[in-house]
Amino acid sequence: SVKYKSYVVRQEKDIESWRKAQGARIPPNIIYNHSIMPTFSKEEIEKLNRFKPTTFAEASQISGLTPQSLVYLYHHVMKLNKESKRKSESVDGAIATANGKM
């Protein structure tokens, strides 16, 4: 009970962020494999590669994907989006510096 409270709170936050992300897009070039998603079963990896969902709502409709795997996928995609945005901002900054605008 009290011992597991932090885990329950974290899981509740994950589920809430998942609910908000149902319409969020999954990049079409995402790679589904065990080296990137070690917690996924072989069956989950195969199904994601077969169906290639474009949104989290579509992914949640794939039979055999666990709620925890869907949350993991959500966090993975959000991490990729942050990295992509960071790279884009650093390239934009470098271009602005090269053009003498900073």
Side-chain angles (χ1 to χ4, degrees), residues 20-38:
K20 291 177 183 176
Q22 288 291 300
R25 312 249 349 128
I26 298 173
N29 59 342
I30 193 165
I31 298 168
Y32 300 108
N33 65 38
H34 280 286
S35 64
I36 295 170
M37 300 169 178

Side-chain angles (χ1 to χ4, degrees), residues 5-61:
K5 185 174 180 161
S6 64
Y7 295 107
V8 172
V9 169
R10 185 175 124 210
Q11 188 173 34
E12 287 171 352
K13 286 181 182 177
D14 285 344
I15 290 169
E16 184 58 32
S17 64
W18 167 252
R19 284 188 187 118
K20 291 177 183 176
Q22 288 291 300
R25 312 249 349 128
I26 298 173
N29 59 342
I30 193 165
I31 298 168
Y32 300 108
N33 65 38
H34 280 286
S35 64
I36 295 170
M37 300 169 178
T39 62
F40 284 46
S41 70
K42 182 179 178 183
E43 177 188 14
E44 289 173 315
I45 297 288
E46 288 173 357
K47 287 185 176 188
L48 286 166
N49 279 313
R50 184 177 334 131
F51 296 113
K52 298 278 188 192
T54 59
T55 65
F56 290 102
E58 285 180 14
S60 69
Q61 298 303 308

Side-chain angles (χ1 to χ4, degrees), residues 91-102:
V91 168
D92 290 345
I95 291 170
T97 301
N99 291 333
K101 294 185 179 179
M102 282 192 90

